[in-house]
Structure formats: structure tokens, C-alpha cells
């Protein structure tokens, strides 16, 4: 089974209006922020037409990669989704 097929089994309950990850406002992205575009396995980070990094955390698997890379540098704010929201993993 391919990883993509397994990921397709995940379900997400999106907490609309309460993003659990926020990118801090910036005019020019830091190297840490830029690295998230490639580092996030769910491709939640993108660069917009103004050259700023944006996050769309709807498909976030809560793996913590971006938290390890960019929370300590102050580039992002990361919290677990509220209870009941976020990724739902299916097993088996
Ligand atoms: Fe991507 Fe993982 Fe960060 Fe979620 S926690 S946005 S899946 S790197």
C-alpha cells in the first residue's frame, strides 16, 4: 500500500475560524519559514503572490514537524486543535 493511499484514510474535522497553526506576520520569510514549504508532509505551507508564507492547516496531521522547526524561532504559533477537532486516524 502506498503512503498516499494510507493518508487518504485520514479524516479531518476542521474547526472553522479557529486555525490551530498561525504564521506570524512578516514582510520577508525567514529561512525556517521557507523550509516548511518542503518539510510539511501534508503540504499545508505555501508561498503567496506577495512572497509571504501562508498556512492552510485543514489537512494537518499534527506531526509537529513545523512546530519543531519554526515555533522556537517565533515564526509560527502552534496549538493542538480543540478537543474533538483535527485529524482522525483510522487504523487497520
Ligand atoms: Fe504540516 Fe505537520 Fe505542521 Fe501539520 S504539524 S502543518 S502536518 S508539518
Amino acid at each position: 500500500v502506498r503512503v498516499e493511499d494510507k493518508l487518504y484514510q485520514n479524516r479531518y474535522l476542521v474547526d472553522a475560524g479557529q486555525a490551530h497553526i498561525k504564521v506570524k506576520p512578516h514582510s520577508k520569510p525567514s529561512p525556517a519559514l521557507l523550509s516548511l514549504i518542503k518539510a510539511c508532509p501534508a503540504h499545508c505551507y505555501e508561498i503567496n503572490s506577495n512572497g509571504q508564507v501562508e498556512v492552510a492547516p485543514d489537512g494537518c496531521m499534527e506531526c509537529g514537524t513545523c512546530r519543531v522547526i519554526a515555533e522556537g524561532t517565533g515564526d509560527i504559533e502552534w496549538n493542538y486543535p480543540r478537543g474533538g477537532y483535527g485529524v482522525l486516524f483510522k487504523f487497520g
Side-chain angles (χ1 to χ4, degrees):
V1 179
R2 296 183 322 140
V3 170
E4 286 77 9
D5 294 331
K6 287 196 157 207
L7 288 175
Y8 187 70
Q9 301 289 316
N10 297 337
R11 294 292 176 264
Y12 303 89
L13 193 57
V14 176
D15 195 358
Q18 283 237 35
H20 69 286
I21 305 172
K22 291 176 186 146
V23 174
K24 299 265 179 76
H26 56 278
S27 48
K28 194 169 166 264
S30 69
L33 214 41
L34 282 173
S35 73
L36 299 183
I37 297 166
K38 287 205 170 153
C40 172
H43 305 295
C44 293
Y45 289 88
E46 274 184 4
I47 195 147
N48 68 18
S49 54
N50 296 325
Q52 291 151 347
V53 172
E54 290 180 337
V55 63
D58 295 7
C60 170
M61 295 180 282
E62 297 165 33
C63 71
T65 303
C66 62
R67 186 175 200 179
V68 170
I69 295 174
E71 192 181 45
T73 60
D75 288 309
I76 65 166
E77 195 187 310
W78 202 106
N79 293 289
Y80 279 106
R82 289 193 294 161
Y85 290 98
V87 66
L88 310 167
F89 292 105
K90 288 176 98 178
F91 302 100

Coordinates of all heavy atoms in Angstrom, one line a residue:
V1 N 0.9 -1.2 0.0 CA 0.0 0.0 0.0 C 0.9 1.2 0.0 O 1.8 1.3 0.8 CB -0.9 0.0 1.3 CG1 -1.8 1.3 1.3 CG2 -1.7 -1.2 1.3
R2 N 0.6 2.2 -0.9 CA 1.4 3.4 -1.0 C 1.0 4.3 0.2 O -0.1 4.3 0.7 CB 1.1 4.2 -2.3 CG 1.5 3.4 -3.5 CD 1.2 4.2 -4.8 NE 0.0 5.0 -4.7 CZ -0.1 6.2 -5.1 NH1 0.9 6.8 -5.7 NH2 -1.3 6.8 -5.1
V3 N 2.0 5.2 0.6 CA 1.7 6.1 1.7 C 0.5 7.0 1.4 O -0.3 7.3 2.2 CB 3.0 7.0 2.0 CG1 2.7 8.1 3.0 CG2 4.1 6.1 2.5
E4 N 0.5 7.5 0.1 CA -0.6 8.4 -0.3 C -2.0 7.7 0.0 O -3.0 8.3 0.4 CB -0.5 8.8 -1.7 CG 0.6 9.8 -2.0 CD 2.0 9.2 -2.0 OE1 2.1 7.9 -2.0 OE2 3.0 9.9 -2.0
D5 N -2.1 6.4 -0.3 CA -3.3 5.7 -0.1 C -3.7 5.6 1.4 O -4.8 5.6 1.7 CB -3.2 4.2 -0.7 CG -3.1 4.3 -2.2 OD1 -3.6 5.3 -2.8 OD2 -2.5 3.4 -2.8
K6 N -2.6 5.4 2.2 CA -2.9 5.4 3.6 C -3.3 6.7 4.1 O -4.2 6.8 5.0 CB -1.6 4.9 4.4 CG -1.3 3.5 4.2 CD -0.3 3.0 5.2 CE -0.4 1.5 5.5 NZ 0.0 1.1 6.8
L7 N -2.7 7.8 3.7 CA -3.1 9.1 4.1 C -4.5 9.4 3.7 O -5.2 10.2 4.4 CB -2.1 10.2 3.5 CG -0.7 10.2 4.0 CD1 0.1 11.2 3.2 CD2 -0.7 10.6 5.5
Y8 N -5.0 8.8 2.7 CA -6.3 9.1 2.2 C -7.3 8.5 3.2 O -8.5 9.0 3.2 CB -6.5 8.4 0.8 CG -7.8 8.8 0.2 CD1 -8.1 10.1 -0.3 CD2 -8.8 7.8 0.1 CE1 -9.3 10.4 -0.8 CE2 -10.0 8.1 -0.5 CZ -10.3 9.4 -0.9 OH -11.5 9.7 -1.5
Q9 N -6.9 7.6 4.1 CA -7.8 7.1 5.1 C -8.1 8.1 6.2 O -9.0 7.9 7.0 CB -7.2 5.8 5.7 CG -6.9 4.7 4.7 CD -8.1 4.1 4.2 OE1 -9.0 3.8 4.9 NE2 -8.2 3.8 2.9
N10 N -7.2 9.1 6.4 CA -7.4 10.0 7.5 C -8.7 10.9 7.2 O -9.1 11.1 6.1 CB -6.2 11.0 7.6 CG -5.0 10.3 7.9 OD1 -5.0 9.2 8.5 ND2 -3.8 10.9 7.6
R11 N -9.3 11.3 8.3 CA -10.4 12.2 8.2 C -10.1 13.4 9.1 O -9.4 13.3 10.0 CB -11.7 11.5 8.7 CG -12.2 10.4 7.8 CD -12.6 10.9 6.4 NE -12.9 9.8 5.5 CZ -12.1 9.3 4.6 NH1 -10.9 9.7 4.5 NH2 -12.5 8.3 3.9
Y12 N -10.7 14.5 8.7 CA -10.4 15.8 9.4 C -11.7 16.5 9.8 O -12.6 16.6 9.0 CB -9.6 16.7 8.5 CG -8.3 16.1 8.0 CD1 -8.3 15.4 6.8 CD2 -7.1 16.2 8.7 CE1 -7.1 14.8 6.3 CE2 -6.0 15.7 8.2 CZ -6.0 15.0 7.0 OH -4.8 14.4 6.6
L13 N -11.7 16.9 11.1 CA -12.9 17.7 11.5 C -12.3 19.1 11.7 O -11.6 19.4 12.6 CB -13.4 17.2 12.8 CG -14.8 17.7 13.2 CD1 -15.8 17.5 12.1 CD2 -15.3 17.0 14.5
V14 N -12.6 20.0 10.7 CA -12.0 21.3 10.7 C -12.7 22.3 11.7 O -13.9 22.4 11.6 CB -11.9 21.9 9.3 CG1 -11.4 23.3 9.3 CG2 -11.1 21.0 8.4
D15 N -12.0 22.9 12.5 CA -12.5 23.9 13.5 C -12.5 25.2 12.7 O -11.6 26.0 12.8 CB -11.7 23.9 14.7 CG -12.4 24.6 15.9 OD1 -13.5 25.1 15.7 OD2 -11.8 24.7 17.0
A16 N -13.6 25.5 12.0 CA -13.6 26.7 11.1 C -13.5 27.9 11.9 O -14.1 28.1 13.0 CB -14.9 26.7 10.3
G17 N -12.6 28.8 11.5 CA -12.4 30.1 12.2 C -11.4 30.0 13.3 O -11.2 31.0 14.0
Q18 N -10.9 28.8 13.7 CA -10.0 28.7 14.8 C -8.8 27.9 14.4 O -8.6 26.8 14.8 CB -10.7 27.9 16.0 CG -11.7 28.8 16.8 CD -11.3 28.8 18.2 OE1 -10.1 28.8 18.6 NE2 -12.3 28.8 19.1
A19 N -8.0 28.5 13.5 CA -6.8 27.8 13.0 C -5.9 27.4 14.1 O -5.6 28.3 15.0 CB -6.1 28.7 12.0
H20 N -5.4 26.2 14.2 CA -4.6 25.8 15.3 C -3.1 26.1 15.0 O -2.3 26.0 15.9 CB -4.7 24.3 15.7 CG -4.2 23.4 14.7 ND1 -4.9 23.1 13.5 CD2 -3.1 22.6 14.7 CE1 -4.2 22.2 12.8 NE2 -3.2 21.8 13.5
I21 N -2.8 26.5 13.8 CA -1.4 27.0 13.5 C -1.6 28.4 12.8 O -2.4 28.5 11.9 CB -0.7 26.0 12.5 CG1 -0.7 24.6 13.1 CG2 0.7 26.5 12.2 CD1 -0.2 23.6 12.1
K22 N -0.8 29.3 13.2 CA -0.8 30.6 12.6 C 0.7 31.0 12.3 O 1.6 30.8 13.1 CB -1.4 31.7 13.6 CG -2.9 31.5 13.8 CD -3.4 32.4 14.8 CE -4.8 32.1 15.1 NZ -5.2 32.4 16.5
V23 N 0.8 31.6 11.1 CA 2.1 32.2 10.7 C 2.1 33.6 11.2 O 1.2 34.3 10.9 CB 2.3 32.1 9.2 CG1 3.6 32.8 8.8 CG2 2.4 30.6 8.7
K24 N 3.2 34.0 11.9 CA 3.3 35.4 12.4 C 3.5 36.3 11.2 O 4.1 35.9 10.2 CB 4.5 35.5 13.3 CG 4.4 34.6 14.6 CD 3.8 35.4 15.8 CE 3.7 34.5 17.0 NZ 4.9 34.2 17.7
P25 N 2.9 37.5 11.2 CA 3.0 38.4 10.1 C 4.5 38.7 9.8 O 5.3 38.8 10.7 CB 2.3 39.7 10.6 CG 1.4 39.2 11.7 CD 2.1 38.0 12.3
H26 N 4.8 38.8 8.6 CA 6.2 39.0 8.2 C 6.2 39.7 6.8 O 5.3 39.4 6.0 CB 7.0 37.7 8.1 CG 6.4 36.7 7.2 ND1 5.4 35.8 7.6 CD2 6.7 36.3 5.9 CE1 5.1 35.0 6.6 NE2 5.8 35.3 5.6
S27 N 7.3 40.5 6.5 CA 7.4 41.0 5.2 C 8.2 40.1 4.3 O 7.9 39.9 3.1 CB 8.0 42.4 5.3 OG 9.1 42.4 6.1
K28 N 9.2 39.5 4.9 CA 10.1 38.6 4.1 C 10.2 37.3 5.0 O 10.5 37.4 6.1 CB 11.5 39.3 3.9 CG 12.3 38.6 2.9 CD 13.5 39.5 2.6 CE 14.6 38.7 1.9 NZ 15.6 38.2 2.7
P29 N 9.9 36.1 4.4 CA 10.0 34.9 5.2 C 11.4 34.6 5.6 O 12.4 34.7 4.9 CB 9.4 33.8 4.3 CG 9.4 34.4 2.9 CD 9.5 35.9 3.0
S30 N 11.5 34.1 6.8 CA 12.8 33.6 7.4 C 13.2 32.3 6.7 O 12.3 31.6 6.1 CB 12.8 33.4 8.9 OG 11.9 32.3 9.1
P31 N 14.4 31.8 6.8 CA 14.8 30.5 6.2 C 14.0 29.4 6.8 O 13.6 28.5 6.1 CB 16.3 30.4 6.5 CG 16.8 31.8 6.7 CD 15.6 32.6 7.2
A32 N 13.7 29.5 8.2 CA 12.9 28.5 8.8 C 11.5 28.4 8.2 O 11.0 27.3 7.9 CB 12.8 28.7 10.3
L33 N 10.9 29.5 8.0 CA 9.6 29.6 7.4 C 9.6 29.0 6.0 O 8.7 28.2 5.6 CB 9.1 31.0 7.4 CG 7.6 31.3 7.7 CD1 7.0 30.5 8.7 CD2 7.5 32.8 8.0
L34 N 10.6 29.4 5.2 CA 10.6 28.9 3.9 C 10.8 27.4 3.8 O 10.3 26.7 3.0 CB 11.8 29.5 3.1 CG 11.6 31.0 2.6 CD1 12.9 31.5 2.1 CD2 10.5 31.0 1.6
S35 N 11.5 26.8 4.8 CA 11.8 25.4 4.8 C 10.5 24.6 5.0 O 10.4 23.4 4.7 CB 12.9 25.0 5.8 OG 12.3 25.1 7.1
L36 N 9.5 25.2 5.7 CA 8.3 24.5 5.9 C 7.5 24.1 4.7 O 6.8 23.1 4.7 CB 7.4 25.3 6.8 CG 7.9 25.7 8.2 CD1 6.9 26.5 9.0 CD2 8.4 24.5 9.0
I37 N 7.7 24.8 3.6 CA 7.0 24.5 2.4 C 7.4 23.1 1.9 O 6.6 22.4 1.4 CB 7.4 25.6 1.3 CG1 6.9 26.9 1.7 CG2 6.8 25.2 -0.1 CD1 7.4 28.1 1.0
K38 N 8.7 22.7 2.1 CA 9.1 21.4 1.7 C 9.0 20.4 2.9 O 8.8 19.2 2.7 CB 10.6 21.4 1.2 CG 10.7 22.0 -0.1 CD 11.9 21.5 -0.8 CE 11.8 22.0 -2.3 NZ 13.1 22.2 -2.9
A39 N 9.1 20.9 4.1 CA 9.1 20.0 5.3 C 7.8 19.4 5.6 O 7.7 18.3 6.2 CB 9.7 20.7 6.5
C40 N 6.7 20.1 5.4 CA 5.4 19.7 5.9 C 4.9 18.5 5.0 O 4.8 18.7 3.8 CB 4.4 20.8 5.8 SG 2.7 20.2 6.1
P41 N 4.7 17.3 5.6 CA 4.3 16.2 4.8 C 2.9 16.3 4.2 O 2.5 15.6 3.2 CB 4.4 15.0 5.7 CG 4.2 15.6 7.1 CD 4.8 17.0 7.0
A42 N 2.1 17.2 4.7 CA 0.7 17.4 4.2 C 0.6 18.6 3.3 O -0.5 19.0 2.8 CB -0.2 17.6 5.4
H43 N 1.8 19.3 3.0 CA 1.8 20.4 2.1 C 0.9 21.5 2.5 O 0.1 22.1 1.7 CB 1.5 20.0 0.6 CG 2.5 18.9 0.2 ND1 3.8 19.1 0.0 CD2 2.2 17.6 -0.2 CE1 4.4 18.0 -0.4 NE2 3.5 17.1 -0.5
C44 N 0.9 21.8 3.8 CA 0.0 22.9 4.4 C 0.6 24.3 4.1 O -0.2 25.3 4.2 CB -0.2 22.7 5.8 SG -1.2 21.2 6.2
Y45 N 1.9 24.4 3.9 CA 2.5 25.7 3.7 C 2.7 26.0 2.3 O 3.1 25.2 1.5 CB 3.9 25.7 4.5 CG 3.7 25.7 6.0 CD1 3.6 24.5 6.7 CD2 3.6 26.9 6.7 CE1 3.4 24.5 8.0 CE2 3.5 26.9 8.1 CZ 3.4 25.7 8.7 OH 3.2 25.7 10.1
E46 N 2.5 27.3 1.9 CA 2.6 27.8 0.6 C 3.2 29.2 0.6 O 3.0 29.9 1.6 CB 1.3 27.8 -0.2 CG 0.9 26.5 -0.8 CD -0.4 26.7 -1.6 OE1 -0.9 27.9 -1.6 OE2 -0.9 25.7 -2.1
I47 N 3.8 29.6 -0.5 CA 4.2 31.0 -0.6 C 3.2 31.7 -1.5 O 2.7 31.2 -2.5 CB 5.6 31.1 -1.2 CG1 6.2 32.4 -1.0 CG2 5.8 30.7 -2.6 CD1 7.7 32.4 -0.7
N48 N 2.7 32.9 -1.0 CA 1.7 33.6 -1.8 C 2.3 34.5 -2.8 O 3.5 34.7 -2.9 CB 0.7 34.2 -0.8 CG 1.3 35.4 0.0 OD1 2.3 35.9 -0.4 ND2 0.6 35.8 1.1
S49 N 1.4 35.2 -3.5 CA 1.9 36.1 -4.6 C 2.7 37.3 -4.0 O 3.4 38.0 -4.8 CB 0.7 36.6 -5.4 OG -0.3 37.2 -4.6
N50 N 2.6 37.6 -2.7 CA 3.3 38.7 -2.1 C 4.7 38.2 -1.6 O 5.4 39.0 -0.9 CB 2.5 39.4 -1.0 CG 1.3 40.0 -1.5 OD1 1.3 40.6 -2.6 ND2 0.2 40.0 -0.7
G51 N 5.0 36.9 -1.8 CA 6.2 36.4 -1.3 C 6.2 36.0 0.2 O 7.3 35.8 0.8
Q52 N 5.0 36.0 0.8 CA 4.9 35.6 2.2 C 4.4 34.1 2.3 O 3.7 33.6 1.4 CB 3.9 36.5 2.9 CG 4.4 37.9 3.1 CD 3.3 38.9 3.1 OE1 2.2 38.6 2.8 NE2 3.7 40.1 3.4
V53 N 4.8 33.5 3.4 CA 4.5 32.1 3.6 C 3.1 32.1 4.4 O 2.9 32.8 5.3 CB 5.5 31.3 4.4 CG1 5.1 29.9 4.8 CG2 6.8 31.3 3.6
E54 N 2.2 31.2 3.8 CA 0.9 31.1 4.4 C 0.7 29.6 4.8 O 1.3 28.7 4.2 CB -0.2 31.4 3.4 CG -0.3 32.8 3.0 CD -1.4 33.0 2.0 OE1 -1.8 32.1 1.3 OE2 -1.9 34.2 1.9
V55 N -0.2 29.4 5.8 CA -0.5 28.0 6.2 C -2.0 27.8 6.1 O -2.8 28.7 6.4 CB 0.0 27.7 7.6 CG1 -0.7 28.6 8.7 CG2 -0.2 26.2 8.0
A56 N -2.4 26.6 5.5 CA -3.8 26.2 5.5 C -3.8 24.9 6.2 O -3.6 23.8 5.7 CB -4.2 26.0 4.0
P57 N -4.1 25.0 7.5 CA -3.9 23.8 8.4 C -5.0 22.7 8.3 O -5.1 21.8 9.1 CB -3.7 24.4 9.8 CG -4.5 25.6 9.8 CD -4.4 26.1 8.3
D58 N -5.9 22.9 7.4 CA -7.1 21.9 7.3 C -6.6 20.5 7.2 O -7.3 19.6 7.7 CB -8.0 22.3 6.1 CG -8.6 23.6 6.2 OD1 -8.3 24.3 7.2 OD2 -9.5 23.9 5.4
G59 N -5.5 20.2 6.4 CA -5.1 18.8 6.2 C -3.9 18.5 7.2 O -3.3 17.5 6.9
C60 N -3.7 19.2 8.2 CA -2.6 19.0 9.1 C -2.8 17.7 9.9 O -3.8 17.3 10.4 CB -2.5 20.1 10.1 SG -1.4 19.9 11.5
M61 N -1.7 16.9 9.9 CA -1.7 15.6 10.6 C -1.2 15.7 12.0 O -1.0 14.7 12.7 CB -0.9 14.6 9.8 CG -1.4 14.3 8.4 SD -0.4 13.1 7.6 CE 0.9 14.2 7.0
E62 N -0.9 16.9 12.5 CA -0.4 17.2 13.8 C 0.9 16.4 14.1 O 1.1 15.8 15.2 CB -1.5 16.8 14.9 CG -2.7 17.7 14.7 CD -3.9 17.2 15.5 OE1 -3.7 16.6 16.5 OE2 -5.0 17.4 15.0
C63 N 1.8 16.3 13.0 CA 3.0 15.6 13.2 C 4.0 16.4 14.0 O 5.0 15.8 14.5 CB 3.6 15.3 11.8 SG 4.3 16.7 10.9
G64 N 3.9 17.7 14.0 CA 4.8 18.5 14.8 C 6.1 19.0 14.1 O 6.9 19.7 14.7
T65 N 6.3 18.6 12.9 CA 7.5 19.0 12.2 C 7.6 20.5 12.1 O 8.7 21.0 12.5 CB 7.5 18.4 10.7 OG1 7.3 17.0 10.8 CG2 8.7 18.8 10.0
C66 N 6.6 21.2 11.8 CA 6.7 22.7 11.7 C 6.9 23.3 13.0 O 7.5 24.3 13.2 CB 5.5 23.3 10.9 SG 3.9 23.0 11.7
R67 N 6.3 22.6 14.0 CA 6.5 23.2 15.4 C 7.9 23.1 15.8 O 8.4 24.1 16.4 CB 5.6 22.3 16.3 CG 5.5 22.8 17.7 CD 4.6 22.1 18.6 NE 4.2 22.9 19.8 CZ 3.4 22.5 20.7 NH1 2.8 21.4 20.6 NH2 3.2 23.3 21.7
V68 N 8.6 22.0 15.5 CA 10.0 21.8 15.9 C 10.8 22.8 15.1 O 11.8 23.4 15.7 CB 10.5 20.4 15.6 CG1 12.0 20.2 15.7 CG2 9.7 19.4 16.5
I69 N 10.5 23.0 13.9 CA 11.4 23.9 13.0 C 11.1 25.4 13.4 O 12.1 26.2 13.5 CB 11.1 23.7 11.5 CG1 11.6 22.3 11.1 CG2 11.8 24.7 10.7 CD1 11.2 21.8 9.7
A70 N 9.9 25.8 13.5 CA 9.6 27.3 13.4 C 8.9 27.9 14.6 O 8.7 29.1 14.6 CB 8.8 27.6 12.2
E71 N 8.6 27.1 15.6 CA 7.9 27.7 16.8 C 9.0 28.4 17.6 O 8.8 29.5 18.1 CB 7.2 26.7 17.6 CG 6.3 27.3 18.7 CD 5.5 26.3 19.5 OE1 6.2 25.3 20.0 OE2 4.4 26.5 19.8
G72 N 10.1 27.7 17.8 CA 11.2 28.3 18.6 C 11.8 29.6 18.0 O 12.3 30.4 18.7
T73 N 11.7 29.7 16.7 CA 12.2 30.9 16.0 C 11.2 32.0 16.1 O 11.5 33.1 15.6 CB 12.6 30.6 14.5 OG1 11.4 30.1 13.9 CG2 13.7 29.5 14.4
G74 N 10.0 31.7 16.6 CA 9.0 32.8 16.6 C 8.3 33.0 15.3 O 7.5 33.9 15.2
D75 N 8.4 32.1 14.4 CA 7.8 32.3 13.1 C 6.4 31.8 13.0 O 5.6 32.3 12.2 CB 8.6 31.5 12.0 CG 9.9 32.2 11.7 OD1 9.9 33.4 11.4 OD2 10.9 31.5 11.7
I76 N 6.0 30.9 13.9 CA 4.7 30.4 13.9 C 4.2 30.2 15.3 O 5.0 30.1 16.3 CB 4.5 29.0 13.2 CG1 5.3 27.9 13.9 CG2 4.9 29.1 11.7 CD1 4.9 26.5 13.4
E77 N 2.8 30.1 15.4 CA 2.2 29.9 16.7 C 1.5 28.5 16.5 O 0.7 28.4 15.5 CB 1.2 31.0 17.0 CG 0.7 31.1 18.4 CD -0.4 32.1 18.5 OE1 -0.2 33.3 18.0 OE2 -1.5 31.8 19.0
W78 N 1.7 27.6 17.4 CA 1.2 26.2 17.2 C 0.5 25.7 18.4 O 1.0 25.7 19.5 CB 2.4 25.3 16.9 CG 2.2 24.0 16.2 CD1 2.5 23.7 14.9 CD2 1.6 22.8 16.7 NE1 2.1 22.4 14.6 CE2 1.6 21.8 15.7 CE3 1.1 22.4 18.0 CZ2 1.1 20.6 15.9 CZ3 0.6 21.2 18.1 CH2 0.6 20.2 17.1
N79 N -0.8 25.3 18.3 CA -1.5 24.7 19.4 C -2.2 23.5 18.8 O -2.6 23.5 17.6 CB -2.6 25.7 19.9 CG -1.9 26.9 20.5 OD1 -1.4 26.8 21.6 ND2 -2.0 28.1 19.8
Y80 N -2.5 22.6 19.7 CA -3.3 21.4 19.3 C -4.7 22.0 19.0 O -5.2 22.9 19.7 CB -3.4 20.3 20.3 CG -2.2 19.5 20.3 CD1 -1.2 19.6 21.2 CD2 -2.0 18.5 19.3 CE1 0.0 18.8 21.2 CE2 -0.9 17.7 19.2 CZ 0.1 17.8 20.2 OH 1.2 17.1 20.1
P81 N -5.5 21.3 18.1 CA -6.9 21.8 17.9 C -7.7 21.5 19.1 O -7.3 20.7 20.0 CB -7.3 20.8 16.7 CG -6.1 20.3 16.1 CD -5.1 20.3 17.1
R82 N -8.8 22.2 19.2 CA -9.7 22.0 20.4 C -10.1 20.5 20.4 O -10.1 19.8 19.4 CB -10.9 22.9 20.3 CG -10.6 24.3 20.5 CD -11.9 25.1 20.7 NE -12.7 25.1 19.5 CZ -14.0 25.4 19.5 NH1 -14.6 25.7 20.6 NH2 -14.7 25.5 18.4
G83 N -10.5 20.0 21.5 CA -11.0 18.7 21.7 C -12.0 18.3 20.7 O -13.0 19.0 20.4
G84 N -11.8 17.1 20.0 CA -12.8 16.7 19.0 C -12.5 17.1 17.6 O -13.0 16.5 16.7
Y85 N -11.7 18.2 17.5 CA -11.3 18.7 16.1 C -10.0 18.2 15.7 O -9.2 17.7 16.5 CB -11.3 20.2 16.1 CG -12.7 20.8 16.3 CD1 -13.2 21.2 17.5 CD2 -13.5 20.9 15.2 CE1 -14.4 21.8 17.6 CE2 -14.8 21.4 15.3 CZ -15.3 21.9 16.5 OH -16.5 22.4 16.6
G86 N -9.7 18.3 14.4 CA -8.4 18.0 13.9 C -8.4 16.6 13.2 O -9.5 16.2 12.7
V87 N -7.3 16.0 13.1 CA -7.1 14.8 12.3 C -7.7 13.6 13.1 O -7.6 13.5 14.3 CB -5.7 14.5 11.9 CG1 -4.8 14.3 13.1 CG2 -5.5 13.4 10.8
L88 N -8.4 12.7 12.3 CA -8.9 11.5 12.9 C -8.2 10.3 12.1 O -8.4 10.2 10.9 CB -10.4 11.3 12.7 CG -11.2 12.6 13.2 CD1 -12.6 12.4 12.6 CD2 -11.2 12.6 14.7
F89 N -7.3 9.6 12.8 CA -6.6 8.5 12.1 C -7.4 7.2 12.2 O -8.1 6.9 13.2 CB -5.3 8.2 12.8 CG -4.3 9.4 12.7 CD1 -4.1 10.2 13.7 CD2 -3.7 9.6 11.5 CE1 -3.2 11.3 13.6 CE2 -2.8 10.6 11.3 CZ -2.5 11.5 12.4
K90 N -7.4 6.5 11.1 CA -8.1 5.2 11.0 C -7.0 4.1 11.1 O -6.0 4.3 10.4 CB -8.9 5.1 9.7 CG -10.1 5.9 9.7 CD -10.8 5.8 8.4 CE -12.0 4.9 8.4 NZ -12.7 4.8 7.2
F91 N -7.2 3.1 11.8 CA -6.2 2.0 11.9 C -6.8 0.8 11.3 O -7.9 0.5 11.3 CB -5.9 1.8 13.4 CG -5.4 3.0 14.1 CD1 -6.3 3.8 14.9 CD2 -4.1 3.4 14.0 CE1 -5.8 4.9 15.6 CE2 -3.7 4.5 14.6 CZ -4.5 5.3 15.4
G92 N -5.8 0.0 10.8 CA -6.1 -1.3 10.2 C -6.5 -1.2 8.8 O -6.5 -0.2 8.1
Ligands
LIG1 FE1 2.4 20.0 8.4 FE2 3.0 18.5 10.5 FE3 3.0 21.2 10.7 FE4 0.7 19.9 10.5 S1 2.1 19.7 12.2 S2 1.3 21.7 9.4 S3 1.3 18.2 9.0 S4 4.4 20.0 9.4

